């Protein structure tokens, strides 16, 4: 972090009237610096800064504190004024004992206000800084219980807050409402916080309102999730209409859309916003099922509907008393949502099925590129793509997650521990959480080989979510407290559902469909797309992908038998499914695809080995053995796999005359 040149900060501290020279020297000694070395640092300030950065930012076992004062801290959130450091004095006893260089400090403003609402919004955290000095004794005027007034600390602000965290924000959070009160006054409770959990919550809330400091926190190895305050509370009480990093703002979008409607006057536009707000408040006041028109508009539109809204006696009375303002506003709002619908992401459930090697995974990659991630590549990690391969032992807990015991140290040296039970999320829960955190991006959950597991047991109660409405959201929602808590935070009571940016894409190998049979109810909730084994994939020059030419000698023919892979697998597919006396008469699930074998360029030894190790074994055990036809893929004299294997290793032909006729016909 060389860009944080701390030398000018130190110069400002030295020049300030708040810090005597002997205290400045005392602070430098904490960094193993003398006053002479500091003055020589003008020649190489970066080297001096690096020394301090290492001490401040890379300090281990960081602690959190709050620094309180009745002073005006508004300048900390003022974007136009640069405040690199502040000297805090006096310093409370309960902070001084544990505070040290590199600790994180929440700058908290308290004080008395005549108006309670103003007090709740004005008190709060205005800065997030880092202690640049240990507690220092500035003077010797007090003794005993008043001695704390003589101590102070210097706090550096590498990043200031853009928005302060008010007491109202803090008290709305279910994880901070029970902060230990100081002197019995809940509004001053931030002066003394015992639990590290509460500090982490304050940190996450600060990050939620000020995402620009994320890089700074990550550099200090302080990884936090966004605030666990339910979004409905943030949207109700936040000071600005739109937070950074928030979801799509339907209210602002509706305002802009109304301006484009020539028949609606400007005054009427603002009246419509107020009318919808009033309607929402009246409904939520009298109904257990709450609605959030600006946050979940399509849920209100599709699951509540205009008829239920306007037949409600309370809203009907309101509507009649305000010249039908509510009905007009909702009619226009739903029209606005209909316009949005064409541009929205609509998640689907799809399964690609076909014979082995037909390119089902290739089709998934193409699908992802066509649905929002144009540069997607299977070989490169993509945060929007989650993948799991199902197998006979794959279960609901492998898919969703489970509560596991975790050993947690109680004290710093780890000598005392306790066992806690925490939820360990798996692929579905991780993908679902990511989709809600990134509502304007498509998220893909890829489930390979779905027929190899009992998918009804894997999905469990999530089966109900697979029905989707016209917007791509789950038609029905379910109660699942563990997933809800993981996605929306502790104390969440929201029902879970699949949002419209969440895609579930699976593959089924038709040759494995007898492992676990999918029931009809499950299958009808997916779109099934057949991947034809005989459809040849070409490159940009219209040449077949994944091709290789084989040469085999034949004792009955003086010339070599030459054929390429494209002709071979196509001929095999015809021969396998031919129902008359010239074929094996088997079903399509015994066919094979263009990518059943994957060849390497300029590596003949490897490619022939693939023929011997993959293709030959499959044809002998999975195809020829299950056929009751009088004809065979192999020569009559080849009576066992060992003979065929040895012949192919010597690059001798093992195919029968009947099959070679198919192969020659394909070449012609």
């Amino acid at each position: 972090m060389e860009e944080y040149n701390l030398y000018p900060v130190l110069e400002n501290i030295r020049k300030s009237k708040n810090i005597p020279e002997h205290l400045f020297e005392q602070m430098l000694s904490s960094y193993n610096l003398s006053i002479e070395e500091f003055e020589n640092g003008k020649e190489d300030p970066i080297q001096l800064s690096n020394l301090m950065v290492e001490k401040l930012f890379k300090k281990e076992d960081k602690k959190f504190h709050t620094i309180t004062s009745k002073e005006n801290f508004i300048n900390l959130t003022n974007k136009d004024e640069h405040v690199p450091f502040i000297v805090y004095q006096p310093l409370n006893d309960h902070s001084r004992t544990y505070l040290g260089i590199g600790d994180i400090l929440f700058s908290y403003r308290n004080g008395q206000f005549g108006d309670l609402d103003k007090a709740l919004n004005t008190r709060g955290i205005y800065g997030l800084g880092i202690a640049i000095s240990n507690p220092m004794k500035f003077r010797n005027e007090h003794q005993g219980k008043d001695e704390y007034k003589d101590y102070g600390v210097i706090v550096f602000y590498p990043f200031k807050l853009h928005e302060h965290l008010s007491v109202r924000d803090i008290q709305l959070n279910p994880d901070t409402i029970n902060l230990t009160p100081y002197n019995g006054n809940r509004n001053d409770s931030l002066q003394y916080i015992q639990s590290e959990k509460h500090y982490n919550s304050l940190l996450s809330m600060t990050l939620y309102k000020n995402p620009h400091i994320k890089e700074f926190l990550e550099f200090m190895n302080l990884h936090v999730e966004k605030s666990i305050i339910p979004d409905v509370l943030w949207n109700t009480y936040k000071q600005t209409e739109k937070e950074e990093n928030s979801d799509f703002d339907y209210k602002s979008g509706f305002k802009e859309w109304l301006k484009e409607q020539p028949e609606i006057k400007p005054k009427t536009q603002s009246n419509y916003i107020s009318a919808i707000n009033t309607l929402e408040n009246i409904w939520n006041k009298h109904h257990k099922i709450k609605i959030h028109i600006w946050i979940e508009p399509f849920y209100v539109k599709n699951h509540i509907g205009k008829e239920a809204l306007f037949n409600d006696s309370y809203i009907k009375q309101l509507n009649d008393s305000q010249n039908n303002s509510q009905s007009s506003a909702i009619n226009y709002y739903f029209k606005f949502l209909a316009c949005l619908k064409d541009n929205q992401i609509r998640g689907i459930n799809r399964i690609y099925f076909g014979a082995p090697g037909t390119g089902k995974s290739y089709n998934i990659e193409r699908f992802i590129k066509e649905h929002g991630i144009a540069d997607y590549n299977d070989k490169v990690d993509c945060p929007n793509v989650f993948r799991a391969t199902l197998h006979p032992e794959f279960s609901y807990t492998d898919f969703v997650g489970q509560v596991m015991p975790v050993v947690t140290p109680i004290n710093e040296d780890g000598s005392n521990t306790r066992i806690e039970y925490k939820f360990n999320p798996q692929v579905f829960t991780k993908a679902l959480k990511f989709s809600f955190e990134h509502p304007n991006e498509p998220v893909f959950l890829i489930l390979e080989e779905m027929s190899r597991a009992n998918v009804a047991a894997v999905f469990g109660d999530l089966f109900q979510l697979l029905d989707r409405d016209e917007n791509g959201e789950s038609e029905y929602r379910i109660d699942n407290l563990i997933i809800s808590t993981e996605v929306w935070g502790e104390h969440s009571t929201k029902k879970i559902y699949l949002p419209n940016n969440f895609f579930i894409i699976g593959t089924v190998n038709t040759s494995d469909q007898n492992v676990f049979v999918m029931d009809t109810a499950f299958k009808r909730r997916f779109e099934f797309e057949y991947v034809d084994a005989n459809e040849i994939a070409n490159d940009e020059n219209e040449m077949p992908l994944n091709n290789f030419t084989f040469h085999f000698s034949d004792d009955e023919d003086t010339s070599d038998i030459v054929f390429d892979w494209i002709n071979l697998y196509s001929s095999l597919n015809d021969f396998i499914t031919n129902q008359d006396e010239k074929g094996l008469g088997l079903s399509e699930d015994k066919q094979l695809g263009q990518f059943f074998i994957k060849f390497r360029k300029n590596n003949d030894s490897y490619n022939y080995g693939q023929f011997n190790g993959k293709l030959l074994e499959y044809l002998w055990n999975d195809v020829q053995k299950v056929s009751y036809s009088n004809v065979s893929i192999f020569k009559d004299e080849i009576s066992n796999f060992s003979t065929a294997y040895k012949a192919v290793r010597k690059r001798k032909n093992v195919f029968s005359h009947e099959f070679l006729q198919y192969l020659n016909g394909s070449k012609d």
Side-chain angles (χ1 to χ4, degrees):
M1 255 191 173
E2 292 184 356
E3 62 268 29
Y4 296 111
N5 187 352
L6 299 182
Y7 188 82
V9 177
L10 293 179
E11 280 193 319
N12 289 337
I13 292 174
R14 190 183 189 187
K15 293 176 183 178
S16 70
K17 298 179 181 179
N18 299 325
I19 310 295
E21 183 72 12
H22 72 278
L23 288 181
F24 182 74
E25 292 185 22
Q26 179 182 326
M27 185 187 71
L28 288 180
S29 66
S30 302
Y31 299 93
N32 299 320
L33 285 171
S34 65
I35 193 70
E36 291 79 12
E37 288 171 321
F38 168 72
E39 291 173 343
N40 292 333
K42 290 182 179 180
E43 300 175 3
D44 191 2
I46 296 299
Q47 182 177 352
L48 178 61
S49 294
N50 286 344
L51 185 151
M52 295 193 67
V53 165
E54 189 70 24
K55 186 92 172 179
L56 288 172
F57 295 100
K58 295 297 183 68
K59 176 189 172 186
E60 297 180 356
D61 66 347
K62 291 182 183 297
K63 297 185 177 67
F64 298 96
H65 310 269
T66 53
I67 298 294
T68 63
S69 174
K70 294 181 181 180
E71 296 174 4
N72 189 342
F73 291 157
I74 298 299
N75 57 348
L76 288 180
T77 57
N78 188 337
K79 298 179 183 178
D80 299 327
E81 185 177 352
H82 182 60
V83 183
F85 74 95
I86 287 181
V87 179
Y88 287 92
Q89 190 184 7
L91 190 59
N92 292 328
D93 290 333
H94 49 250
S95 296
R96 189 174 75 244
T97 309
Y98 306 102
L99 179 60
I101 288 176
D103 285 354
I104 305 297
L105 295 107
F106 296 95
S107 301
Y108 170 60
R109 183 187 184 199
N110 58 9
Q112 302 300 319
F113 299 87
D115 180 74
L116 178 61
D117 190 67
K118 183 179 180 182
L120 288 173
N121 284 292
T122 307
R123 291 194 186 104
I125 295 171
Y126 279 81
L128 182 64
I130 182 169
I132 202 171
S133 75
N134 293 318
M136 297 187 295
K137 195 166 185 178
F138 279 61
R139 56 189 177 177
N140 296 294
E141 296 181 8
H142 305 87
Q143 292 180 352
K145 66 178 183 179
D146 291 332
E147 188 182 20
Y148 73 93
K149 297 179 182 179
D150 299 328
Y151 284 86
V153 66
I154 305 172
V155 181
F156 170 53
Y157 294 91
F159 288 96
K160 300 191 303 175
L161 303 190
H162 291 167
E163 292 187 69
H164 85 286
L165 194 67
S166 71
V167 168
R168 171 165 282 174
D169 293 329
I170 297 165
Q171 291 185 350
L172 285 172
N173 190 317
D175 195 33
T176 59
I177 191 65
N178 60 346
L179 289 173
T180 304
Y182 182 68
N183 292 337
N185 187 345
R186 189 176 67 183
N187 289 334
D188 292 333
S189 61
L190 282 172
Q191 293 185 23
Y192 183 48
I193 303 176
Q194 292 178 316
S195 172
E196 183 180 349
K197 176 183 177 183
H198 292 145
Y199 277 118
N200 288 335
S201 296
L202 291 175
L203 192 59
S204 68
M205 293 164 67
T206 303
L207 178 60
Y208 185 88
K209 297 195 78 170
N210 298 272
H212 67 287
I213 66 173
K214 182 179 180 182
E215 179 187 355
F216 166 61
L217 297 179
E218 288 179 349
F219 181 82
M220 301 177 73
N221 293 320
L222 299 176
H223 300 285
V224 291
E225 301 294 333
K226 75 174 187 179
S227 173
I228 66 169
I229 293 182
D231 285 342
V232 61
L233 295 181
W234 275 111
N235 280 277
T236 302
Y237 292 101
K238 64 187 180 182
Q239 298 301 302
T240 58
E241 283 193 358
K242 186 174 182 180
E243 299 284 352
E244 294 183 65
N245 261 4
S246 65
D247 298 354
F248 178 77
D249 192 332
Y250 289 97
K251 182 189 287 187
S252 296
F254 183 48
K255 285 180 180 179
E256 295 301 317
W257 183 84
L258 287 174
K259 293 177 183 177
E260 299 173 0
Q261 312 310 309
E263 73 276 14
I264 304 177
K265 297 178 180 179
K267 185 177 180 180
T268 306
Q269 296 170 11
S270 60
N271 288 341
Y272 280 167
I273 302 298
S274 299
I276 291 177
N277 289 336
T278 307
L279 181 146
E280 180 181 290
N281 291 334
I282 293 296
W283 175 278
N284 290 340
K285 184 177 180 180
H286 298 285
H287 293 80
K288 290 183 178 179
I289 300 177
K290 309 301 180 186
I291 61 174
H292 311 293
I293 295 178
W294 303 122
I295 301 173
E296 297 181 314
F298 287 103
Y299 179 78
V300 177
K301 180 176 182 288
N302 299 325
H303 297 273
I304 304 296
K306 287 190 292 186
E307 185 175 348
L309 289 174
F310 298 135
N311 286 338
D312 179 79
S313 59
Y314 297 100
I315 293 179
K316 191 173 183 180
Q317 182 179 358
L318 173 70
N319 199 37
D320 292 341
S321 66
Q322 297 190 1
N323 298 321
N324 298 319
S325 293
Q326 277 68 32
S327 59
S328 297
I330 288 295
N331 282 331
Y332 274 109
Y333 187 53
F334 283 5
K335 185 178 179 181
F336 159 71
L337 295 177
C339 294
L340 280 183
K341 192 171 63 175
D342 292 335
N343 299 321
Q344 278 192 328
I345 303 170
R346 289 188 184 86
I348 62 172
N349 312 318
R350 173 174 290 184
I351 290 178
Y352 290 96
F353 71 104
T358 51
K360 295 181 286 295
S361 297
Y362 171 80
N363 276 271
I364 289 178
E365 182 177 347
R366 186 172 62 182
F367 178 89
I368 294 174
K369 289 179 178 179
E370 293 172 354
H371 287 78
I373 308 179
D375 58 349
Y376 176 71
N377 187 330
D378 280 334
K379 296 180 180 179
V380 180
D381 287 343
C382 177
N384 296 61
V385 178
F386 298 78
R387 189 183 298 268
T389 301
L390 277 60
H391 53 81
E393 299 301 320
F394 197 86
S395 65
Y396 180 83
T397 55
D398 296 316
F399 189 49
V400 174
Q402 61 182 320
V403 177
M404 300 285 287
V406 177
V407 178
T408 305
I410 298 175
N411 48 5
E412 293 182 2
D413 61 6
S415 58
N416 294 322
T417 60
R418 64 170 174 262
I419 295 178
E420 297 179 338
Y421 289 86
K422 295 183 179 180
F423 178 64
N424 183 28
Q426 294 301 318
V427 63
F428 172 82
T429 308
K430 291 177 181 178
L432 185 66
K433 182 177 181 180
F434 189 89
S435 66
F436 280 109
E437 291 175 345
H438 303 80
N440 299 318
E441 302 175 17
V443 178
F444 303 89
L445 174 58
I446 313 301
L447 303 177
E448 300 276 12
E449 308 289 350
M450 290 182 67
S451 60
R452 299 186 66 233
N454 184 350
V455 290
V458 169
F459 274 79
D461 58 337
L462 307 179
F463 169 82
Q464 192 74 11
L465 306 180
L466 296 176
D467 275 316
R468 302 211 187 209
D469 61 22
E470 60 181 1
N471 300 307
E473 285 188 1
S474 293
E475 189 79 33
Y476 310 103
R477 305 183 178 204
I478 66 170
D479 290 296
N480 190 310
L481 183 60
I482 290 180
I483 298 178
S484 180
T485 300
E486 179 66 23
V487 172
W488 289 295
E490 195 174 354
H491 306 292
S492 171
T493 59
K494 292 181 67 173
K495 296 179 184 290
I496 66 166
Y497 64 97
L498 303 183
N500 59 4
N501 65 327
F502 190 80
F503 294 80
I504 300 179
I505 311 297
T507 65
V508 168
N509 191 338
T510 52
S511 65
D512 293 335
Q513 64 182 348
N514 60 334
V515 178
F516 282 101
V517 179
M518 291 185 187
D519 61 77
T520 304
F522 188 88
K523 287 196 292 186
R524 78 172 183 82
R525 286 164 169 80
F526 283 81
E527 298 177 4
F528 274 76
E529 182 162 323
Y530 177 62
V531 184
D532 190 350
N534 297 299
E535 185 174 333
I536 299 174
N538 296 322
D539 60 19
E540 61 275 8
N541 298 317
E542 295 302 317
M543 297 299 294
L545 293 170
N546 192 51
N547 201 8
F548 180 75
T549 301
F550 293 96
H551 295 258
F552 287 98
S553 62
D554 195 327
D555 295 337
E556 301 176 13
D557 194 338
T558 55
S559 61
D560 284 355
I561 298 175
V562 181
F563 53 86
D564 61 37
W565 167 245
I566 299 299
N567 290 332
L568 175 61
Y569 96 84
S570 300
S571 301
L572 282 169
N573 287 342
D574 288 341
F575 190 74
I576 288 169
T577 56
N578 194 319
Q579 298 292 326
D580 60 27
E581 296 180 356
K582 296 182 179 180
L584 300 182
L586 299 174
S587 63
E588 288 184 3
D589 63 0
K590 295 301 179 184
Q591 291 184 326
L592 57 158
Q594 183 176 353
F595 302 95
F596 183 90
I597 295 176
K598 292 185 179 180
F599 299 103
R600 295 178 181 175
K601 292 182 179 180
N602 304 319
N603 196 336
D604 290 2
S605 176
Y606 173 84
N607 295 338
Y608 276 99
Q610 292 292 292
F611 185 104
N612 209 22
K614 280 189 178 180
L615 180 64
L616 186 64
E617 192 277 334
Y618 177 74
L619 295 177
W620 186 272
N621 292 309
D622 295 322
V623 178
Q624 187 62 56
K625 274 191 175 182
V626 299
S627 172
Y628 294 97
S629 174
N630 292 325
V631 296
S632 172
I633 298 175
F634 303 101
K635 289 182 174 183
D636 292 338
E637 59 267 28
I638 298 179
S639 58
N640 53 62
F641 181 76
S642 176
T643 303
Y645 185 83
K646 292 176 181 178
V648 171
R649 289 196 64 180
K650 296 177 181 179
R651 300 190 184 180
K652 290 183 176 293
N653 172 49
V654 295
F655 294 128
S656 64
H657 289 293
E658 291 85 355
F659 174 70
L660 288 177
Q661 289 178 353
Y662 269 85
L663 188 58
N664 292 329
S666 174
K667 287 193 293 184
D668 294 339

